[in-house]
Amino acid sequence: MCGARLLPRPSPVRLNTRMYRQGWSEGVDMGVAIRTAGDEDRELIVRLLDGAFQDDPVSGWVFPGDEYRRTTHHRLMAAFTDVVLAEGRVDITEDGSACALWMSVPADDPGHGEEQPEDDDLRADTPGGRPGERAR
């Protein structure tokens, strides 16, 4: 992935799309107003993310069991939201139906400051070892 730079905060914009449905001979113009979210939008953003990722395979792996996921998954989405509100940007539709979270990734440091292990430091073929585990 190439590095991306966080752009200046945009002013609210209107995205225009053309929507076609079966049987319609003409498209209907629809606009969606988008704005930059603030701390006051936190709970809405958490609800949107929680609902969107409830059935995600990774969420199912991290939070096994439907009931457990329903009662705890929102905490992880809240943590993501807090980090992005503090260090990135969240765009949200004015009607509160969708959001996008944005974080800057420095082009010159794709590892986010973490030391990357050498290939020889990884072990995956020793009894009891796991892929990515450092050799002792």
Side-chain angles (χ1 to χ4, degrees):
M1 174 185 194
C2 294
R5 303 227 187 270
L6 187 60
L7 299 174
R9 290 180 184 253
S11 59
V13 295
R14 200 164 230 358
L15 298 179
N16 291 310
T17 60
R18 199 142 214 31
M19 186 173 93
Y20 293 95
R21 294 197 180 192
Q22 186 175 9
W24 286 14
S25 61
E26 296 180 10
V28 175
D29 284 330
M30 300 186 69
V32 178
I34 297 174
R35 64 179 173 79
T36 300
D39 292 336
E40 67 278 3
D41 298 303
R42 180 186 183 274
E43 296 306 315
L44 173 59
I45 296 164
V46 171
R47 279 196 310 273
L48 286 169
L49 295 174
D50 185 40
F53 290 98
Q54 274 290 320
D55 296 325
D56 183 79
V58 174
S59 293
W61 179 78
V62 173
F63 300 97
D66 293 342
E67 183 60 29
Y68 178 67
R69 189 168 44 261
R70 273 193 296 280
T71 59
T72 56
H73 184 262
H74 69 281
R75 294 177 188 162
L76 179 61
M77 299 301 107
F80 283 140
T81 300
D82 291 342
V83 168
V84 178
L85 282 171
E87 299 177 17
R89 185 183 85 220
V90 179
D91 291 335
I92 191 165
T93 57
E94 288 228 346
D95 67 0
S97 64
C99 63
L101 285 69
W102 304 94
M103 291 291 291
S104 177
V105 178
D108 58 345
D109 186 14
H112 307 287
E114 297 174 11
E115 182 181 324
Q116 299 298 312
E118 297 293 327
D119 289 342
D120 293 342
D121 289 342
L122 300 177
R123 68 178 211 200
D125 57 350
T126 57
R130 296 178 299 178
E133 186 177 59
R134 285 193 181 275
R136 298 194 197 285

